[in-house]
Amino acid sequence: MNDSRLRSIGIAPAIALCCATVIQPAAAFTLDSCALMKQADVQAVFSPRTFDQGTAGPPQPGTAKLAAVATCTYTAQSSNPRDTLSVMLMTRRSPDGVKNVTIEAMKAGVVQLKGTPVDVPGLGDGAYWASMGTEAFPSYQLNVRVGERYWLALSTGGFKGDPQRTIQALTSLAKTVLPRL
């Protein structure tokens, strides 16, 4: 193969990668919830449980009209399946120029699902938690609005401990995650 052909084979992928890097953020924006909430963060607040490495849900890339959404779930197994605990972070980012869902609208949705939103002061631009599970399978969710474009939902599933301790743990996680946005 001649020298110029080798150069063109090497240059074409570099040009394509460069263009994709420049064009991609304008066309789609993705989030990485597992980079925002790490295994060590979850273990620190739910100690002495040991959590897995985390599983990222399929991301929904954002577009000019659709919000980018990503999830990450950490699970702590137990010898008794009823004591298994999952902790999830769902991150949502509205498109440029589009305001996020309001706290009031989100609380109204919780009420429609027969939940009771409880304000949590000092997080983001507004936050509340609600119990969304059942007595047999408790689930607590902490929702935090950040600016006009970000929404975080931190939740637990399966934890039968004290609800206030769970909300404190989720609040601690939120305080760790928020600076990483």
Side-chain angles (χ1 to χ4, degrees), residues 6-43:
L6 282 175
R7 256 184 265 147
S8 67
I9 291 171
I11 292 173
I15 291 170
L17 179 61
C18 178
C19 290
T21 303
V22 172
I23 294 169
Q24 183 69 16
F29 179 84
T30 58
L31 295 166
D32 183 350
S33 291
C34 290
L36 293 172
M37 183 175 76
K38 300 174 183 181
Q39 178 189 30
D41 303 331
V42 177
Q43 287 185 176

Side-chain angles (χ1 to χ4, degrees), residues 28-31 59-70 90-96 98-101 148-151:
F29 179 84
T30 58
L31 295 166
Q60 173 187 318
T63 67
K65 294 183 180 183
L66 296 174
V69 178
M90 187 276 305
T91 311
R92 179 185 187 277
R93 181 180 183 262
S94 297
D96 286 334
V98 176
K99 291 185 178 183
N100 212 339
V101 179
E148 292 293 327
R149 298 176 63 197
Y150 284 96
W151 193 274

Side-chain angles (χ1 to χ4, degrees), residues 10 44 47 52 78 90 115 131 139 168:
S47 179
D52 64 11
S78 175
M90 187 276 305
S131 173
S139 177
Q168 288 172 346

Side-chain angles (χ1 to χ4, degrees), residues 19-148:
C19 290
T21 303
V22 172
I23 294 169
Q24 183 69 16
F29 179 84
T30 58
L31 295 166
D32 183 350
S33 291
C34 290
L36 293 172
M37 183 175 76
K38 300 174 183 181
Q39 178 189 30
D41 303 331
V42 177
Q43 287 185 176
V45 298
F46 287 101
S47 179
R49 293 179 182 266
T50 301
F51 288 82
D52 64 11
Q53 294 293 316
T55 303
Q60 173 187 318
T63 67
K65 294 183 180 183
L66 296 174
V69 178
T71 63
C72 187
T73 304
Y74 294 91
T75 303
Q77 298 294 333
S78 175
S79 58
N80 181 350
R82 292 181 181 179
D83 291 332
T84 297
L85 172 64
S86 293
V87 178
M88 184 182 84
L89 169 64
M90 187 276 305
T91 311
R92 179 185 187 277
R93 181 180 183 262
S94 297
D96 286 334
V98 176
K99 291 185 178 183
N100 212 339
V101 179
T102 66
I103 292 281
E104 293 75 22
M106 291 297 288
K107 285 181 179 180
V110 168
V111 171
Q112 285 181 339
L113 294 171
K114 307 217 182 315
T116 303
V118 178
D119 288 332
V120 178
L123 286 179
D125 296 312
Y128 69 91
W129 71 271
S131 173
M132 302 304 292
T134 65
E135 190 172 318
F137 190 82
S139 177
Y140 301 98
Q141 186 175 72
L142 173 66
N143 293 278
V144 182
R145 180 169 181 234
V146 184
E148 292 293 327

